[in-house]
Amino acid sequence: MSAGVRAGGPQRRTRRFDEIFRCYPIAVLDRKELNYGGKIIMPPSALEKLTRLHIAYPMLFELRNGSKDKTTHAGVLEFIAEEGRVYLPYWMMQTLKLEPGDLLQIKSTDLPSGSFIKLQPQSMSFINAISDPKAVLENVLRNFSALTKSDTFQFLYNDDVFEIQVLEVKPGNESGAISCVETDLEVDFAPPLDYVEPVRPSAPASAGSSRPGSVVGGGRVTPLQEGSMAKAIGYSSLAASATTNAASAFSGSGQRLKGSRTGTPTAKPSTPVAGTSSNPPPPTLTHTIRKGNGPQPLRLPPGKLFFGYETKPVRKNGDKQAEEKKPSMFSGGGQTLRGSGGRKRKGEVDGKGQGRSKTEPIELD
């Protein structure tokens, strides 16, 4: 047994694909939809070499720009490029700071399957235009084989281009990249880059405020002041006009039931005034005062109920004359049974003292 060979046979050394190509944007192939993914196009010779090296699927690559010390990771889409060339999405060339025709080193690599990523949209349009980010990202990530921390990739949705930056990946590793092929990813979102915190409205005045007011039901009621709604609707002018109209509508003199005149009543404002009661004063039992000529409220003493006035129909002049001409059923003169009321009974005399006296003695034979 030779010294260079172990008992188990010759040792196989795992070799990596490591080549240098000139890079160009994928848009020159007139396939602009490929710009919004994470896969590159390589020449057929690269496929032949990968096959000889037994590179397992999925084929993942490390892309490195040595002059700018920039690195990212990608998968391969097709092997149809010209020899010595590779085609990259535009966002990938921006990440690596590459210009068309620059040299790019490509190495095969192995990446762990990802379990978590944290993304940050670069614009508020991502929130405003996409109603279901989970479903959209699930479809977008099918065009990616790997995601690298700090990369900002692009995707197309409803003819709009959106940019998202990768803030964090798990599991963590030295390369800072994960594989997103045939794996379940938990996604978290950071606020968009141009997000502005909304201004919160100022807090209402506390219960211990020094502004004047009255406590009603456990809360503070602040009266209307300048600059509030009272000023906007012209409360003072409306209250003054309402008071004037009320005074002119019910002005006049009142009379007592006995006929003595009273003084001119004082007009009351139609709008309640703070600090005064709008309830009518208690009625007096001695007499009732009627103010004005219009209908007045009925004021009853405590303990009495009102069920309405007795209704009496108004008689017209024609009705009164007809009633006077109507014959009476019981009209006429009366008569005594004897026919004359002037006859005198037997033994009655006209003069006083005439006739038989009650004390006159009667002789009997």
Side-chain angles (χ1 to χ4, degrees), residues 109-332:
T109 185
D110 293 328
L111 297 176
S113 296
S115 60
F116 173 83
I117 55 174
K118 186 173 183 178
L119 306 176
Q120 182 183 36
Q122 301 298 289
S123 174
M124 281 291 295
S125 58
F126 178 83
I127 297 178
N128 299 330
I130 300 178
S131 58
D132 190 357
K134 178 181 177 182
V136 172
L137 281 177
E138 183 178 353
N139 188 42
V140 167
L141 292 180
R142 293 176 183 175
N143 300 323
F144 290 78
S145 297
L147 291 174
T148 307
K149 184 179 179 180
S150 301
D151 279 2
T152 302
F153 63 89
Q154 296 177 342
F155 68 92
L156 185 68
Y157 178 74
N158 285 346
D159 297 331
D160 293 329
V161 179
F162 300 92
E163 293 185 346
I164 293 185
Q165 184 179 14
V166 181
L167 298 182
E168 184 181 354
V169 295
K170 291 182 181 180
N173 53 82
E174 294 181 358
S175 63
I178 58 170
S179 171
C180 52
V181 178
E182 297 179 356
T183 183
D184 293 330
L185 280 174
E186 182 181 352
V187 182
D188 188 19
F189 288 94
L193 197 61
D194 58 350
Y195 174 76
V196 178
E197 189 74 19
V199 179
R200 296 182 179 180
S202 58
S206 60
S209 174
S210 60
R211 297 179 62 186
S214 59
V215 178
V216 178
R220 176 169 292 274
V221 179
T222 304
L224 297 174
Q225 297 182 356
E226 291 297 329
S228 62
M229 183 61 71
K231 183 177 180 180
I233 65 174
Y235 174 80
S236 58
S237 60
L238 292 177
S241 62
T243 303
T244 305
N245 294 336
S248 60
F250 297 98
S251 61
S253 60
Q255 291 184 355
R256 299 177 183 273
L257 294 180
K258 297 181 179 180
S260 61
R261 300 182 60 85
T262 61
T264 304
T266 304
K268 297 182 180 180
S270 59
T271 304
V273 181
T276 62
S277 175
S278 60
N279 296 328
T284 58
L285 301 180
T286 58
H287 58 273
T288 304
I289 300 177
R290 181 179 180 86
K291 297 182 179 181
N293 299 325
Q296 297 294 323
L298 179 64
R299 298 184 177 92
L300 297 176
K304 289 190 177 183
L305 299 177
F306 177 70
F307 295 97
Y309 296 104
E310 180 182 0
T311 59
K312 294 183 179 181
V314 179
R315 295 183 179 181
K316 300 181 180 179
N317 295 332
D319 296 339
K320 294 181 179 180
Q321 295 176 1
E323 185 176 354
E324 293 176 357
K325 293 180 180 181
K326 185 176 180 181
S328 177
M329 297 178 61
F330 301 98
S331 61

